[in-house]
Amino acid sequence: MRLLKVATCNLNQWAMDFECNMKNIKASITEAKANGAVIRLGPELEVTGYGCEDHFLELDTITHAWECLKELLLGDWTDGILCSIGMPVIKGAERYNCQVLCMNRRIVMIRPKMWLANDGNYRELRWFTAWKQREQLEEIHLPIEISEALSQNSVPFGYGFIQFMDTAVAAEVCEELFSPVPPHAELALNGVEVFMNASGSHHQLRKLDIRLNAFMGATHARGGVYMYSNQQGCDGSRLYYDGCACIVVNGDVVAQGSQFSLRDVEVIISQVDLDAVASLRGSISSFQEQASCKVKVSSVSVPYRLTQSFKLKMSLSSPKKIMYHSPQEEIAFGPACWMWDYLRRSGASGFLLPLSGGADSSSVAAIVGCMCQLVVKEISKGDEQVKADANRIGNYANGQFPTDSKEFAKRIFYTVFMGSENSSEETKRRAKQLADEIGAWHLDVCIDGVVSAVLSLFQTVTGKRPRYKVDGGSNAENLGLQNIQARMRMVLAFMLASLLPWVHSKPGFYLVLGSSNVDEGLRGYLTKYDCSSADINPIGSISKMDLRLFLKWAATNLGYPSLAEIEAAPPTAELEPIRSDYTQLDEVDMGMTYEELSVYGRMRKIFRCGPVSMFKNLCYKWGTKLSPAEVAEKVKFFFKYYSINRHKMTVLTPSYHAESYSPEDNRFDLRQFLYNSKWPYQFKKIDEIVDGLNGDSVAFPEEEANSEKEIGVVAANSEDPSSGL
């Protein structure tokens, strides 16, 4: 047997905070060595933090990374252990995203990333160059300060692996695993047995299985030990890096770290038998044949032995059941951990949430409650960093610390019901009940006086006073009156967030939380600069359908039973007067259901459908319930209001990224914000197709027809409150 003990980790790095990042790196190496590991893998760009973005273009960032690496190599951190350290490196005129492989106070080689992530949230080609010289390793001269300190002038640089006396080890960086021809396939044929994948991979609902299947697939048919390391936490942007460091042997997961955690450092250790890798490879005839005619990959020889012989005292890691969270758990834990990082790193003293008693703001409140529960749980486990942060934020004194989530919430979480003459007693009651269940400090504020003052000012200036549509007013008046209420709530929320700590003799300020969901953003069903405008929004890229499932789950699993009643209530903005024959409803205002919006969003973004392609696809999807002409009207109606309201995405509150069809304009969904909302060419093409289909029968698969859900048909109000500027 060749027994090898390896360590990989989740690290909560912070972009551009080199002291924080070095503290975590050192802690992970220390723990790995203490457990006898001889290989330690860290996340991609762990020295700088993955999310530095245009800071990567600054030479200071590169210089500081080298300074940090020098500090590691001058100490005893790398003695007796191979450490893969992620950092940016400049070679010649190019900047590369690299894994620096170090051991015994020396740099063994530098492995630049060959296939860069450049879609969705990733923009690596903006900052880095992909390494394209695969034939042989080159030499890179180290910076003068580094070479003098290490007495090492140059090191091998490029695509290759390290050949030890008893095994071969190689790096494969993040995106390379998911490329059409991943490097591990070729490296395996060259005898590499241990693969180290350093990653900066963010959370997205229902994504983890794709990642884990890739790790297992990498070694299932060709053998090997696959190590995966990731960042975990909010490193300064909309993304939450969701950890889940793992170790896979011959297609089986033998160790798995947490996906969501408040810990800054989590190290997982495994002891594996490399003879099991050799045995599997020797049993696969096709592997043997392909290895016999392989393309040779360059290597660096290191006269050092990593493995140990058979010892009964050294137990082997065995396959384990993979831990997957349900989407409801992902919605609870991911944004909760992201918000905790944002809270503790921003210097704020807590959160303030305009709590309407509706599904969206109640979801946000429940996530804050979940965050408080996680904090108390982690403190009970002995995490001193979480304890120190909680004591500072909660303003604890005299050795006290949080032991009860409701008591902690009372210190850091304010909720405000900002009711008006249009608000119902039901939503007011539900908001208060939920706040009490969570433990929040709840305020009940009537905004009628503020709204009336603004209307009186308007009347003084113009000589006219607007009326609601139900009272005989025009669409313009109706829209204006709704927007005034919404915007007054935003102004009041920020005022309370900045001054309430002062009122209660507490230090700092509160972060205002937004609560618009991804579907409302896509449709533009929100008032620009209303309570959707906040400091951060934990649900901004989560669909209404998923939020409703989350509310049902949270009512039981988080211990907030009022959420069940909130979920069952029909969504309403409560911006128009309630009459015996009229109650404002979101889906009526929007002219489409939330279920339909989710379909539109996925087809527009994930499947890259324009109006014509979306119409054709929906003719198949909805054809058992709707005629082509009806489908055409729905598609046109969606694109009309999507384009009219696209400008609102330019000022969308920074939101936790969770959904692949998010319309977030900052980096994920890059599109114009001034459209010809009539879409004359595209809509004409749709009309031509509909005309050509008249009289034709359309065949649909029987199973699809039987499983098709009822398509909602709702009245469309062309002057809904979302249309205003």
Side-chain angles (χ1 to χ4, degrees):
M1 302 182 85
R2 290 176 295 144
L3 301 180
L4 178 72
K5 185 168 279 191
V6 297
T8 184
C9 57
N10 297 326
L11 298 186
N12 193 335
Q13 307 299 77
W14 191 3
M16 298 302 292
D17 189 340
F18 292 90
E19 289 188 357
C20 164
N21 298 343
M22 281 292 287
K23 177 183 176 182
N24 293 343
I25 291 170
K26 290 177 179 178
S28 68
I29 296 175
T30 299
E31 186 172 345
K33 293 176 70 175
N35 282 278
V38 293
I39 297 178
R40 176 268 179 195
L41 171 64
E44 184 177 12
L45 295 168
E46 61 183 314
V47 175
T48 58
Y50 183 85
C52 296
E53 300 186 329
D54 280 1
H55 284 296
F56 284 126
L57 304 178
E58 301 166 3
L59 290 179
D60 277 3
T61 304
I62 313 298
T63 300
H64 296 331
W66 277 113
E67 292 166 349
C68 291
L69 183 66
K70 180 177 74 173
E71 181 181 340
L72 287 174
L73 292 174
L74 290 179
D76 61 357
W77 308 101
T78 62
D79 289 358
I81 186 169
L82 174 67
C83 292
S84 180
I85 309 291
M87 58 179 273
V89 173
I90 292 178
K91 182 181 187 297
E94 305 92 42
R95 184 183 299 100
Y96 294 99
N97 175 349
C98 296
Q99 289 301 118
V100 182
L101 306 178
C102 310
M103 189 174 191
N104 293 330
R105 311 190 187 199
R106 305 281 288 179
I107 299 175
V108 178
M109 70 174 288
I110 299 177
R111 165 65 155 83
K113 192 173 182 178
M114 298 188 295
W115 307 112
L116 301 179
N118 208 56
D119 56 0
N121 285 296
Y122 298 103
R123 296 285 180 275
E124 290 186 13
L125 278 171
R126 180 181 175 96
W127 311 299
F128 301 110
T129 299
W131 180 253
K132 304 176 182 67
Q133 314 304 320
R134 296 171 60 92
E135 291 77 19
Q136 60 184 13
L137 292 167
E138 299 183 3
E139 289 289 311
I140 180 175
H141 290 280
L142 300 178
I144 294 176
E145 297 81 0
I146 307 302
S147 64
E148 290 179 349
L150 303 180
S151 299
Q152 189 175 10
N153 294 325
S154 63
V155 298
F157 186 98
Y159 171 56
F161 61 92
I162 302 175
Q163 182 65 62
F164 288 94
M165 296 172 64
D166 49 355
T167 189
V169 180
E172 181 171 68
V173 190
C174 197
E175 178 73 10
E176 294 176 350
L177 169 65
F178 303 97
S179 61
V181 184
H184 68 257
E186 183 177 53
L187 290 166
L189 296 176
N190 276 265
V192 173
E193 295 178 311
V194 181
F195 306 94
M196 303 181 295
N197 188 310
S199 182
S201 185
H202 65 79
H203 173 240
Q204 195 163 283
L205 289 173
R206 306 173 178 91
K207 173 186 172 183
L208 182 60
D209 63 324
I210 298 174
R211 194 188 305 165
L212 285 172
N213 286 336
F215 304 150
M216 293 185 288
T219 59
H220 177 75
R222 57 182 66 90
V225 177
Y226 205 94
M227 303 169 60
Y228 172 78
S229 176
N230 194 14
Q231 292 193 179
Q232 186 175 62
C234 166
D235 80 339
S237 72
R238 294 162 173 82
L239 305 181
Y240 177 81
Y241 299 93
D242 62 338
C244 204
C246 64
I247 299 169
V248 178
V249 179
N250 292 348
D252 293 320
V253 175
V254 298
Q256 179 185 1
S258 65
Q259 187 176 13
F260 308 109
S261 174
L262 302 186
R263 285 175 286 177
D264 285 342
V265 178
E266 180 182 4
V267 179
I268 63 170
I269 311 288
S270 282
Q271 184 148 268
V272 300
D273 177 17
L274 293 183
D275 278 355
V277 175
S279 175
L280 176 62
R281 290 177 175 178
S283 69
I284 303 173
S285 176
S286 59
F287 184 93
Q288 298 288 302
E289 291 299 316
Q290 291 186 10
S292 68
C293 57
K294 62 183 177 290
V295 176
K296 188 175 181 180
V297 177
S298 300
S299 63
V300 176
S301 294
V302 175
Y304 191 90
R305 181 176 176 177
L306 294 179
T307 63
Q308 296 187 49
S309 301
F310 172 73
K311 291 182 180 179
L312 277 178
K313 292 183 179 180
M314 300 175 64
S315 60
L316 286 176
S317 300
S318 56
K320 61 178 294 181
K321 183 179 179 181
I322 300 173
M323 170 62 185
Y324 289 114
H325 288 287
S326 69
Q328 292 80 18
E329 291 173 327
E330 292 184 81
I331 292 171
F333 301 140
C337 294
W338 179 76
M339 290 169 67
W340 176 247
D341 279 342
Y342 200 102
L343 177 62
R344 68 188 181 113
R345 288 172 170 171
S346 68
S349 300
F351 296 119
L352 183 137
L353 171 67
L355 182 58
S356 69
D360 294 335
S361 61
S362 296
S363 295
V364 174
I367 291 170
V368 177
C370 178
M371 183 198 79
C372 293
Q373 293 180 19
L374 291 175
V375 168
V376 171
K377 182 178 180 181
E378 204 60 42
I379 291 174
S380 70
K381 292 180 178 179
D383 192 309
E384 291 299 322
Q385 184 61 59
V386 175
K387 182 178 178 180
D389 289 332
N391 286 349
R392 173 180 55 82
I393 296 167
N395 200 28
Y396 287 87
N398 302 323
Q400 295 181 322
F401 56 88
T403 57
D404 179 78
S405 63
K406 293 183 68 173
E407 186 274 335
F408 185 53
K410 181 74 73 175
R411 290 173 175 261
I412 70 161
F413 188 32
Y414 277 80
T415 55
V416 187
F417 179 81
M418 291 184 273
S420 73
E421 60 183 358
N422 302 319
S423 302
S424 67
E425 286 299 319
E426 287 79 6
T427 54
K428 179 179 178 180
R429 174 184 56 80
R430 289 196 293 262
K432 175 68 166 62
Q433 185 177 352
L434 177 60
D436 289 343
E437 291 171 356
I438 294 170
W441 191 295
H442 186 69
L443 296 174
D444 186 353
V445 179
C446 179
I447 66 170
D448 287 339
V450 180
V451 174
S452 179
V454 173
L455 291 175
S456 295
L457 175 61
F458 179 84
Q459 187 173 10
T460 300
V461 172
T462 66
K464 291 188 175 183
R465 193 177 184 91
R467 295 177 298 167
Y468 289 102
K469 193 171 183 179
V470 295
D471 296 327
S474 65
N475 285 327
E477 294 171 77
N478 197 58
L479 178 61
L481 286 170
Q482 294 181 72
N483 286 341
I484 289 169
Q485 297 170 71
R487 289 176 176 138
M488 287 300 100
R489 286 174 172 143
M490 184 271 290
V491 174
L492 182 59
F494 275 97
M495 181 179 180
L496 290 171
S498 62
L499 291 178
L500 277 178
W502 165 72
V503 170
H504 293 93
S505 301
K506 296 174 66 175
F509 60 95
Y510 286 108
L511 295 165
V512 178
L513 297 178
S515 57
S516 58
N517 61 63
V518 69
D519 298 321
E520 290 171 348
L522 178 66
R523 168 62 172 76
Y525 187 66
L526 52 95
T527 301
K528 203 173 187 180
Y529 305 119
D530 67 349
C531 280
S532 64
S533 296
D535 289 308
I536 55 174
N537 180 357
I539 66 167
S541 69
I542 302 176
S543 74
K544 190 77 163 189
M545 305 299 292
D546 278 337
L547 287 174
R548 295 188 70 171
L549 293 173
F550 164 71
L551 290 173
K552 292 180 181 178
W553 174 88
T556 300
N557 293 276
L558 294 182
Y560 307 138
S562 64
L563 293 176
E565 181 184 352
I566 291 169
E567 187 278 329
T572 173
E574 291 195 333
L575 293 171
E576 295 183 74
I578 300 173
R579 297 287 187 265
S580 60
D581 60 346
Y582 177 74
T583 300
Q584 185 179 21
L585 297 173
D586 287 357
E587 293 184 331
V588 175
D589 276 351
M590 293 191 299
M592 59 190 73
T593 66
Y594 282 108
E595 185 175 358
E596 289 171 342
L597 257 176
S598 185
V599 172
Y600 297 144
R602 286 180 166 81
M603 298 196 75
R604 181 197 69 97
K605 178 66 177 177
I606 301 174
F607 298 104
R608 298 164 293 280
C609 288
V612 177
S613 295
M614 185 181 293
F615 162 73
K616 291 177 178 178
N617 279 279
L618 289 180
C619 278
Y620 286 107
K621 184 176 182 64
W622 292 345
T624 58
K625 300 294 182 181
L626 300 176
S627 69
E630 290 172 320
V631 174
E633 288 307 308
K634 283 183 171 290
V635 170
K636 291 181 195 176
F637 189 81
F638 163 72
F639 272 101
K640 173 185 176 181
Y641 281 98
Y642 155 76
S643 55
I644 286 174
N645 291 305
R646 178 66 191 188
H647 64 95
K648 297 177 183 178
M649 297 302 96
T650 64
V651 295
L652 196 69
T653 294
S655 302
Y656 179 96
H657 179 86
E659 183 56 78
S660 54
Y661 71 89
S662 170
E664 183 264 306
D665 182 74
N666 176 264
R667 65 183 294 168
F668 184 70
D669 188 43
L670 305 182
R671 301 169 195 249
Q672 71 208 68
F673 55 86
L674 177 61
Y675 282 89
N676 183 343
S677 60
K678 296 179 181 178
W679 298 81
Y681 188 88
Q682 294 91 331
F683 287 2
K684 180 182 177 181
K685 287 293 183 182
I686 292 175
D687 291 339
E688 290 174 356
I689 297 172
V690 171
D691 291 340
L693 290 174
N694 284 339
D696 292 348
S697 60
V698 184
F700 298 97
E702 182 178 351
E703 61 273 16
E704 182 175 336
N706 292 335
S707 64
E708 193 64 57
K709 293 182 179 180
E710 192 71 36
I711 302 300
V713 180
V714 295
N717 178 359
S718 62
E719 296 295 335
D720 65 68
S722 68
S723 303
L725 297 179

